[in-house]
Amino acid sequence: MNLENIYKWAQLKGITVVATGDFTHPAWFAELKEKLEPAEPGLFQIKKRYVHEVEKEIPESCRAPVRFLLSVEISTIYKKGDRTRKIHTIFLSPDFVSAGTLNASLQECGNIKSDGRPILGMDSKLLLQMALDASSDNTCIPAHIWTPHFSVLGAASGFDSVEECFEDLTPHIFALETGLSSDPPMNWQISQLDRFVLVSNSDAHSPGKLGREANIFDCDLSYFAMMRALKEKDHRQFLGTLEFFPEEGKYHYDGHRNCNSRMAPEETLSHNGDCPVCGRKVTVGVMHRVTNLSDRNAGFRPQQAFPFHNLIPLSEVLAEVNSVGANSKKVSQQYFKLLEKFGSEFYVLRDCPLSDFKQEGFGLLAEALQRIREGRVNISPGYDGAYGIIKVFEPWEKQENQLSLF
Amino acid sequence: MTSLLSSLNQSQRTAVQTIEGPLLIIAGAGTGKTRTLVHRLAYLVAEKEIPPEKLLAITFTTRAAEEMRERVGGLCQEGIDLSSLWVGTIHALCYQILKNEGCAVRFVPDFEIISPTDQAGIIRILAKQFFPQQLPISIKHYALKISREKNELAGLHTSPAGFSPFCQAYQEILERETLLDFDDLIVKTVLLLKKFPDITKQLRSRFSHISVDEYQDINTAQYLLIRELAGPAPNLCAVGDADQAIYAFRGAQVKNFLNFQHDFPQAAIIRLEENYRSTSTIITAARQVIEKNSARIDKKLIAVKPRGPRIELCEMLDEREEARFVAQEIGRLIGGTSFETLGPARDDAGLPAMGFGDIAVLYRLHAQSRYLKKALELAGIPVEIGTSLSLYEEPEVEAVINVLEAMHNPENDFAVSEILQNSVKGIGPKTVTLLRNRAQELNTPLLETIRLKNNFTKIAADKCAALGAFLDMHNECIERSSQIPLDQLIKEIYEKLCKQAVQSQEGKNNSIADNENLLDLITASLPFSPVPASEGIPLFLNKISRLREGETYSRHREAVTLLTVHGAKGLEFPAVFITGLEDGLFPYNANSDSGEEADPEEERRLFYVGMTRAQEKLYLTWAHSRFLFGERKSLPRSTFIADIPEETACCYIDPVIKKRTQEKQAKKPKQMNLFSD
Ligand SMILES: [Zn+2]
Ligand SMILES: [Zn+2]
């Protein structure tokens, strides 16, 4: 990933503010410093001279300003209360000094030069303290809070509450990332989370995966305005999140991938937590963990809750409509054709009138998008590292549709 | 009283309560030796009401002393003042005796302890003089030579007459400067006590009870000192384990331990045999290994813990595969360090959850650590390595900092001469000395002296040019410092230094992107980079001096410990890797030219010490070939491996080896066909 590519894909996807990721990595930090320039408060834009080439690859219909926000996700692995904890946290910085000062402190504790997410053998609370010492404008957001192995509430190596992890520094945390494997309604079952605002990020490792999840703001274009909207839970300035279907996440249900056994939490309980195939303890998924920590019934909606919308990436919709792979040439051709004709991916998925598609001969796609917008899809939940499968059509439906083409 | 003794087992309790006469506590690995000693001291003070100032407890390290004092305090009731309790290393004790009694009778002048850097400096000069033809041997080697010579002669000579000329020359320099090194502390104290019986008498009556920890690792001089202090019928408690004697190369004599009964025929002997540290699997194997030695006091070691997982014997292709394997296994012990490394657990059920701090990777020689460290860091595993330089001691980082120091304070002669000597082409120590002398004559700072060109009269033209280039660099840096931030200035300084460097070290890449230390230095400067460098420099230098004093976040971190087996003495870890188990490496077979002779029994004891560091899980790895000291060598598997009982072990073969053997086998039939055709 380079900045030019992120710049391009942000526009294709319809993202205005995109996080840089990895600002602790010295080489990437140097590249950010070189290629970005300050724009609105706390945000950056890419210098013109770096985007002449890539600009040509962006359809007229998608072109829009892009702002960058300095960010990094850090992994801590440490022992607390005689258990090994593994927590991922996201840090956001409004400027290079706030970010750089954090880098300087982190370097004293370990190696931040290796590629990939830096792993530090230190307490998450101390990490938060360091980030705040570096600058009180730094923001800390616990990442994908429900993944079993690497999150603050994860079943395998997390805590039972956010407070247990961050102790007296917990008040500095105002947002939690739901992650690909949970959506707001799952979090609403747990009253201790009411005081946090739920945000969603794509956790993208390649530009094409940007915008798998996203946050919708209607505020001034500035780091500080965005953080204020979250902190103050301002329903006029923060409009909620775009969500992956959580069932598609790799750790939704319980089970063993190698044994092909997938179970809902209730089923797991009836098997005493053991895999019916091999008899060993199953990998417990997000739903199970949510059920364990919940003090409310499914379906409860707190008053303060923000709205959300489920999404399926356009390439996956096209793959299903065409009965081909999501990485196939056909999907990619159609993807860019749609973007050129109508606008960015978010616009196509969420806002573009369905009649427009029909007029242009995308009838089946229009049907698919309508079902997705209404939340009518078939779901086989993911488990133990295997992605879940979301289908818009029943197998027989497509056969019929294809037949009807002739 | 009951509470003080109730947490001890039978033999520990007996040891604590045996307070009259000589006592030898034979304490196997992990049998609660320190615990027993601590309880014994507390018992003497709290139960037997012996005044704390009458107790002398000698420990092996300062850290052990601190820990012991703290733990004794924890056991005694509040209100008991332990400040007069004497707990410390033998060196600390001798320092006190010499400073007080030794100086009073003018046996020694008012001395100071030589600093390690000064000592290295003296040895470097003398080694060049005395052994001009064998220079590449390390300073450490010569320091050891001196140390051994002194200790062995401790009891026999009152003057340096018996020393080798090299050692004698060294000793003369120290005496001229009224400096003592660590060995002198002990040797001189022994001589003092021999020469002044009154002092000896006074000390013997002051300390009614003496305990000595790690008795197996004391050398001749230390032994003589303890005998002097203890006298003929002492309340002397010696604790140790002959099987863990690993300091012969420093002159330690395990025979001192084995001879205790001979020295004190009336001595009571108590064996601590219950091991609380390791699984019975590890103990069974360790026992098998050590029983092959002959110079030992036979004793049992009984594991209290259950069996636990087997010991893994791991056969690797080379040092890279070995390092990769260690990294992978650490990931597995932690339960995966990232989504990518999450995998189904291998079956050592029952292992407790581990953090990085629970794991140690051991090796026989420091040189082995380099590759291991790299591989672990590449895998994102935090590593703690005892001997590594701090960032600010790395030569290229020091060079940049010296330039900043000189910019900040032009009168910092130390920084200026360091730059000249190390970073300016054509300038050597001679020229620097010349300039410094000149500066002293003129009573001006060094930098100012260089600036006045007429001071160059005695200096060759090419050197004048080099000095001119240095001044230009300095001036340019000052000018730039008001225009650019610190992180950028550091980059520019480094580039300038590379241009000026004596020789850009071969194979070393001067590009910043590839120089990890420089990248680290730039990162460290980021907090001071929002302002022009001229303002950032003083803040940054201040921060560095605080970091050098140890004020860093790093003390809070958990990391995998990398250290030599020697360095692991007295430590314990839930999981331990012992790497490089090849004949010649471990057991180490020092080549003849280094002058150290290998003692196979000591190597075996060292391996035993390594094994018994592990609480739950032990890995033993070896490689078919290894790159070490500039060459690739293929050594046979260590003889120690064959001593691990089959029922305690399981084998793991590097998949790369498996693949190669398969390929070889696949080729064979073809060749057969060729012949049969
Ligand atoms: Zn993460
Ligand atoms: Zn299973």
Side-chain angles (χ1 to χ4, degrees), chain A residues 33 79 84 86 107 109 121, chain B residues 334-335 354 358 487 557-558:
Chain A
K33 262 189 120 170
K79 276 189 131 172
T84 307
K86 301 177 203 165
Q107 177 179 271
C109 302
Chain B
I334 302 283
M354 292 202 196
D358 294 327
D487 55 338
R557 78 193 195 126
E558 292 174 22

Side-chain angles (χ1 to χ4, degrees), chain B residues 370-600:
Chain B
R370 255 188 58 207
Y371 212 88
L372 285 165
K373 177 170 183 273
K374 266 236 162 86
L376 296 194
E377 284 186 342
L378 204 69
I381 295 168
V383 177
E384 186 78 60
I385 179 160
T387 55
S388 75
L389 294 177
S390 97
L391 172 64
Y392 302 101
E393 292 165 327
E394 297 286 353
E396 63 267 48
V397 170
E398 261 196 326
V400 172
I401 292 173
N402 278 325
V403 173
L404 295 175
E405 293 274 8
M407 291 169 64
H408 175 56
N409 175 12
E411 299 187 5
N412 187 334
D413 289 358
F414 174 80
V416 174
S417 48
E418 284 290 300
I419 304 167
L420 290 174
Q421 202 157 315
N422 300 326
S423 315
V424 181
K425 193 188 265 174
I427 305 290
K430 265 191 197 157
T431 317
V432 174
T433 315
L434 208 77
L435 287 165
R436 283 191 88 150
N437 289 342
R438 185 85 182 114
Q440 224 158 29
E441 279 167 35
L442 297 169
N443 198 19
T444 54
L446 184 56
L447 192 70
E448 198 50 41
T449 313
I450 300 171
R451 215 168 250 149
L452 305 168
K453 289 268 160 65
N454 54 355
N455 287 321
F456 291 1
T457 46
K458 284 185 203 154
I459 294 173
D462 59 328
K463 291 193 172 144
C464 288
L467 289 173
F470 160 72
L471 276 181
D472 289 345
M473 175 183 87
H474 177 77
N475 294 337
E476 276 167 36
C477 287
I478 297 228
E479 201 186 312
R480 291 292 281 158
S481 72
S482 58
Q483 301 161 352
I484 53 174
L486 184 55
D487 55 338
Q488 210 178 323
L489 182 72
I490 289 175
K491 222 160 106 183
E492 291 189 8
I493 292 175
Y494 179 66
E495 282 156 1
K496 285 187 212 291
L497 284 173
C498 287
K499 261 189 235 159
Q500 296 218 345
V502 187
Q503 76 266 28
S504 64
Q505 284 144 307
E506 243 174 281
K508 205 157 189 190
N509 200 324
N510 284 335
S511 110
I512 287 174
D514 293 331
N515 188 318
E516 300 210 340
N517 293 327
L518 243 288
L519 282 177
D520 283 348
L521 183 67
I522 288 172
T523 302
S525 76
L526 290 175
F528 312 100
S529 297
V531 288
S534 50
E535 293 168 44
I537 289 171
L539 302 172
F540 185 44
L541 292 176
N542 181 303
K543 166 83 179 172
I544 289 175
S545 74
R546 277 187 292 133
L547 284 178
R548 278 180 171 152
E549 283 158 20
E551 254 186 66
T552 91
Y553 282 111
S554 66
R555 64 205 144 87
H556 298 288
R557 78 193 195 126
E558 292 174 22
V560 171
T561 310
L562 259 59
L563 74 184
T564 61
V565 190
H566 279 106
K569 179 181 167 163
L571 305 177
E572 57 184 22
F573 300 90
V576 169
F577 293 80
I578 305 179
T579 62
L581 282 162
E582 292 127 47
D583 260 345
L585 182 56
F586 200 6
Y588 184 55
N589 194 356
N591 36 20
S592 47
D593 48 271
S594 83
E596 288 167 47
E597 61 258 44
D599 171 3

Side-chain angles (χ1 to χ4, degrees), chain A residues 2 30 51 54 88 134 136 173 182 193 210 227 251 280 320 355:
Chain A
N2 60 26
V51 289
V54 79
H88 288 187
S136 56
I173 291 174
S182 87
L193 301 184
L210 285 173
M227 295 307 124
Y251 297 95
R280 300 219 313 261
E320 194 188 346
S355 52

Side-chain angles (χ1 to χ4, degrees), chain A residues 159-288:
Chain A
F159 295 89
D160 287 344
S161 71
V162 180
E163 283 78 6
E164 228 181 288
C165 177
F166 296 102
E167 297 176 359
D168 53 312
L169 296 184
T170 311
H172 291 280
I173 291 174
F174 50 86
L176 302 173
E177 189 194 65
T178 57
L180 299 180
S181 49
S182 87
D183 63 4
M186 292 163 65
N187 291 275
W188 294 339
Q189 294 183 45
I190 295 145
S191 61
Q192 56 151 310
L193 301 184
D194 285 356
R195 71 167 212 70
F196 302 101
V197 55
L198 303 170
V199 298
S200 284
N201 305 308
S202 64
D203 203 5
H205 296 280
S206 61
K209 296 222 158 154
L210 285 173
R212 283 191 290 186
E213 298 206 324
N215 306 297
I216 313 168
F217 288 90
D218 184 14
C219 63
D220 286 347
L221 195 55
S222 110
Y223 172 87
F224 301 96
M226 290 166 73
M227 295 307 124
R228 198 182 316 115
L230 295 176
K231 221 180 283 187
E232 294 173 5
K233 296 204 182 129
D234 186 330
H235 278 256
R236 278 167 311 175
Q237 304 208 19
F238 178 55
L239 305 184
T241 53
L242 300 179
E243 301 278 340
F244 216 55
F245 279 97
E247 297 86 352
E248 196 169 353
K250 291 190 283 189
Y251 297 95
H252 189 71
Y253 268 15
D254 309 333
H256 273 162
R257 177 154 51 154
N258 293 342
C259 301
N260 252 323
S261 61
R262 168 188 14 219
M263 300 187 286
E266 309 80 56
E267 277 178 90
T268 313
L269 288 174
S270 71
H271 284 98
N272 286 323
D274 299 330
C275 168
V277 179
C278 71
R280 300 219 313 261
K281 290 275 170 245
V282 292
T283 304
V284 172
V286 170
M287 241 359 255
H288 194 110

Side-chain angles (χ1 to χ4, degrees), chain A residues 212-394:
Chain A
R212 283 191 290 186
E213 298 206 324
N215 306 297
I216 313 168
F217 288 90
D218 184 14
C219 63
D220 286 347
L221 195 55
S222 110
Y223 172 87
F224 301 96
M226 290 166 73
M227 295 307 124
R228 198 182 316 115
L230 295 176
K231 221 180 283 187
E232 294 173 5
K233 296 204 182 129
D234 186 330
H235 278 256
R236 278 167 311 175
Q237 304 208 19
F238 178 55
L239 305 184
T241 53
L242 300 179
E243 301 278 340
F244 216 55
F245 279 97
E247 297 86 352
E248 196 169 353
K250 291 190 283 189
Y251 297 95
H252 189 71
Y253 268 15
D254 309 333
H256 273 162
R257 177 154 51 154
N258 293 342
C259 301
N260 252 323
S261 61
R262 168 188 14 219
M263 300 187 286
E266 309 80 56
E267 277 178 90
T268 313
L269 288 174
S270 71
H271 284 98
N272 286 323
D274 299 330
C275 168
V277 179
C278 71
R280 300 219 313 261
K281 290 275 170 245
V282 292
T283 304
V284 172
V286 170
M287 241 359 255
H288 194 110
R289 181 68 175 157
V290 171
T291 309
N292 277 351
L293 293 186
S294 69
D295 53 355
R296 293 170 178 155
N297 291 329
F300 182 89
R301 189 191 163 103
Q303 271 191 331
Q304 281 272 307
F306 286 88
F308 75 97
H309 314 274
N310 282 119
L311 279 187
I312 298 178
L314 181 55
S315 56
E316 282 173 31
V317 181
L318 291 173
E320 194 188 346
V321 167
N322 292 293
S323 303
V324 293
N327 295 319
S328 66
K329 214 170 171 186
K330 183 159 190 189
V331 164
S332 145
Q333 278 170 349
Q334 280 196 6
Y335 180 87
F336 284 103
K337 198 170 157 195
L338 286 165
L339 261 55
E340 254 164 58
K341 265 210 164 68
F342 302 106
S344 72
E345 180 172 341
F346 280 157
Y347 178 74
V348 170
L349 288 174
R350 303 187 56 230
D351 303 317
C352 184
L354 296 171
S355 52
D356 289 10
F357 298 120
K358 287 180 192 149
Q359 268 171 20
E360 297 287 336
F362 294 103
L364 200 51
L365 176 68
E367 174 63 21
L369 289 177
Q370 182 171 7
R371 291 190 191 188
I372 294 166
R373 288 180 190 179
E374 291 167 2
R376 293 184 290 124
V377 294
N378 294 318
I379 296 168
S380 325
Y383 68 108
D384 193 26
Y387 277 110
I389 298 161
I390 311 293
K391 289 282 176 213
V392 180
F393 299 110
E394 304 288 348

Side-chain angles (χ1 to χ4, degrees), chain B residues 159 188 303 332 359 374 377 413 479 626 641 665 670:
Chain B
S159 75
K188 301 250 183 222
R332 208 176 60 80
I359 301 168
K374 266 236 162 86
E377 284 186 342
D413 289 358
E479 201 186 312
R626 178 179 304 276
I641 299 293
Q665 278 165 351
K670 259 190 199 163

Side-chain angles (χ1 to χ4, degrees), chain B residues 85-97:
Chain B
L85 175 71
W86 216 103
V87 186
T89 63
I90 212 161
H91 295 102
L93 174 70
C94 290
Y95 180 85
Q96 286 295 329
I97 295 176

